[in-house]
Amino acid sequence: MAHFPRPHRAILAATALAASGALLAGCAAAAGSESASSDGAAGPVDILGIEVAVDDGARALLPDDIAEAGRVTAATDAPYAPFEMFVEEGSEELTGVDILLGKAIGAKLGIDVEFAQQGFDGIIPALQAGNYDLTISAMTSSVERMDVLTFVDYSASGTGILTRAGNPDDIETYLDLCGKDVAVQTATSQVELVTDVWQAECEAEGLDPISLAEFPSDSDAQLAITAGKAVASLLTKPSAGFVAKTTNDGETFMVVEDPTAPNGYDATLNGIGVLKENEQFAEAIQAALQSLMDDGTYTTILAEFGVEGIGVDAATINAAAESAS
């Protein structure tokens, strides 16, 4: 079985993680008092102050064995902020978009979703070995992975533009970077996007090329902005949103919101994965996720981490396969 790397994955800036202590301490999935209902479903769960209760329609779709067990185990690979990360250094307690969303989906289904650490490359083999029931780990819903997994698509993320708060350089789209100094972490998909695509588009528009400076880490690229050596840095849009929200209480950076690319440039879907043969479980997850979208809990979770921009309008299954066909 081939291992599939996670596209666009990069370690989030250490400076942003340090600045986010207060946020993380306050946004761990807070489980309220839970009681069993008459059909054995778990009671409501508190997620960010929202009481998330069972959605009867979604629970009815659960496979009988999962409904009876009352819990499932999800593989995840932390830290990968803002999707999954530790509440604080030295803690084993997890938080993040995936963690809170997974717990909220469990509440809608009347089951407990427990998370277990698993190296990213080993997630799919571990699912095949029966070690876990699903994975929620910012995994790209790629067509190649669909040979093994069924994906419930819950977000979409591509490249984001991080610039100084207040946007003094008036950057509205990536073409506004033409002729300017831009920072990026070396050996990332963002480097390829600029060199393979954007530079040619700058030339086609009669503009000077982007002056791209590569740095060992995202945090170094962000320091280039604050030092006045770059007007912007490029990184995944969820990472950009998290950095902007948590660094200096949101006073240092902002994310450029291009309405033509709301999920970021060259965006791909991320999905909750279950084994391909577990289609019924995927349909239950889809219904639970859609319920969270409909009642606003989904948006609240994204907003907690500053990543509303990666939201999708509807819960879909294997949508990437449809767009590829």
Side-chain angles (χ1 to χ4, degrees):
M1 171 65 198
H3 293 178
F4 301 100
R6 184 187 310 202
H8 309 304
R9 181 159 188 165
I11 300 299
L12 183 64
T15 53
L17 287 175
S20 65
L23 171 68
L24 299 186
C27 67
S33 58
E34 300 178 31
S35 58
S37 65
S38 58
D39 68 349
V45 174
D46 182 271
I47 304 290
L48 299 175
I50 300 172
E51 185 178 272
V52 182
V54 172
D55 182 298
D56 292 333
R59 180 170 171 80
L61 297 173
L62 269 180
D64 291 340
D65 58 337
I66 293 178
E68 291 171 5
R71 60 173 42 85
V72 292
T73 302
T76 198
D77 182 19
Y80 183 52
F83 289 98
E84 40 269 334
M85 51 198 165
F86 299 102
V87 171
E88 58 185 5
E89 186 174 356
S91 170
E92 294 184 359
E93 185 179 0
L94 292 170
T95 187
V97 173
D98 287 349
I99 308 305
L100 299 194
L101 193 59
K103 290 184 178 295
I105 287 171
K108 288 287 187 181
L109 295 174
I111 60 175
D112 182 33
V113 176
E114 300 173 348
F115 284 86
Q117 278 276 51
Q118 172 66 55
F120 192 80
D121 286 349
I123 286 177
I124 291 177
L127 284 169
Q128 292 176 300
N131 297 336
Y132 309 108
D133 302 291
L134 71 161
T135 178
I136 313 178
S137 195
M139 183 176 285
T140 300
S141 308
S142 68
V143 175
E144 293 79 11
R145 290 186 175 119
M146 291 176 197
D147 289 338
V148 179
L149 301 181
T150 293
F151 287 105
V152 179
D153 309 303
Y154 70 98
S155 67
S157 56
T159 291
I161 300 173
L162 186 74
T163 190
R164 285 177 285 181
N167 197 10
D169 298 289
D170 296 323
I171 299 169
E172 296 182 1
T173 78
Y174 67 93
L175 287 175
D176 293 322
L177 301 177
C178 299
K180 295 184 174 66
D181 296 313
V182 176
V184 68
Q185 182 181 1
T186 191
T188 59
S189 60
Q190 284 73 42
V191 175
E192 296 177 4
L193 181 60
V194 171
T195 57
D196 296 347
V197 181
W198 289 359
Q199 297 292 37
E201 295 191 20
C202 289
E203 182 179 0
E205 294 292 327
L207 302 171
D208 291 334
I210 296 169
S211 179
L212 196 66
E214 297 185 37
F215 293 88
S217 69
D218 276 339
S219 58
D220 291 327
Q222 290 148 29
L223 286 173
I225 299 175
T226 57
K229 296 180 180 179
V231 300
S233 69
L234 304 175
L235 63 167
T236 63
K237 188 161 186 183
S239 293
F242 187 69
V243 169
K245 184 180 178 82
T246 59
T247 302
N248 192 26
D249 293 327
E251 298 295 323
T252 301
F253 301 112
M254 64 168 282
V255 180
V256 174
E257 295 294 347
D258 183 345
T260 67
N263 299 114
Y265 300 105
D266 199 25
T268 54
L269 288 167
N270 299 316
I272 298 167
V274 302
L275 288 177
K276 192 173 181 178
E277 57 265 30
N278 294 339
E279 181 72 21
Q280 184 180 350
F281 187 26
E283 291 174 356
I285 294 171
Q286 179 191 25
L289 176 58
Q290 188 61 55
S291 182
L292 293 169
M293 291 177 172
D294 293 342
D295 69 17
T297 306
Y298 171 79
T299 301
T300 298
I301 291 172
L302 297 184
E304 180 70 13
F305 300 93
V307 295
E308 300 96 312
I310 67 170
V312 292
D313 294 331
T316 55
I317 291 180
N318 288 349
E322 297 177 11
S323 60
S325 62

